[in-house]
Amino acid sequence: QVQLVESGGGLVQPGGSLRLSCAASGITVSNNLMGWYRQAPGKQRERVAHITRGGNVEYTDSVKGRLTIPRDKGKNTVYLQMNSLQPDATAVYYCDAQPLIGDGYWGRGTQVTVSS
């Protein structure tokens, strides 16, 4: 059974940093396209970053320079390092895994709130 478990969310002040984790079981993260998405209240879910099987990364324009998406093959975990957070980053953050064939998988999300 495949599980993606996000953690690391919480309340952070503007300008602060957070590192989210996506721990996978039942799949190997380096064999999947791993993505981070977020959904703010009243808005559609949007992709913020992804890392390919080959290790190539892409970021949505609005977060470039403030996010990185490191991957730890030994821990079978993908991270989302977020710096210089602003209130518009407040959202539920989800991890997603897309295999080459078949349906993908979602985690349940972790809440990030940026507020003073």
Side-chain angles (χ1 to χ4, degrees):
Q1 184 177 0
V2 176
Q3 280 193 316
L4 301 176
V5 180
E6 302 96 334
S7 62
L11 175 64
V12 62
Q13 292 188 339
S17 299
L18 277 177
R19 188 178 78 159
L20 307 183
S21 300
C22 173
S25 59
I27 60 167
T28 301
V29 296
S30 56
N31 290 340
N32 289 265
L33 174 68
M34 301 298 297
W36 281 98
Y37 291 71
R38 66 185 179 188
Q39 187 166 18
K43 295 187 177 181
Q44 290 188 331
R45 190 173 298 188
E46 64 170 349
R47 187 176 67 187
V48 295
H50 72 244
I51 180 168
T52 69
R53 294 183 307 139
N56 296 316
V57 298
E58 286 193 12
Y59 305 98
T60 192
D61 286 345
S62 62
V63 302
K64 280 182 180 178
R66 292 186 288 147
L67 299 187
T68 58
I69 183 170
R71 180 177 65 187
D72 188 328
K73 294 181 181 180
K75 294 183 178 180
N76 206 30
T77 298
V78 174
Y79 302 93
L80 185 67
Q81 176 67 45
M82 304 188 290
N83 303 316
S84 302
L85 286 165
Q86 298 302 318
D88 62 358
T90 295
V92 179
Y93 284 73
Y94 298 90
C95 177
D96 162 72
Q98 290 291 328
L100 278 177
I101 300 174
D103 295 332
Y105 308 95
W106 288 96
R108 293 188 175 184
T110 184
Q111 175 71 47
V112 171
T113 303
V114 184
S115 176
S116 56

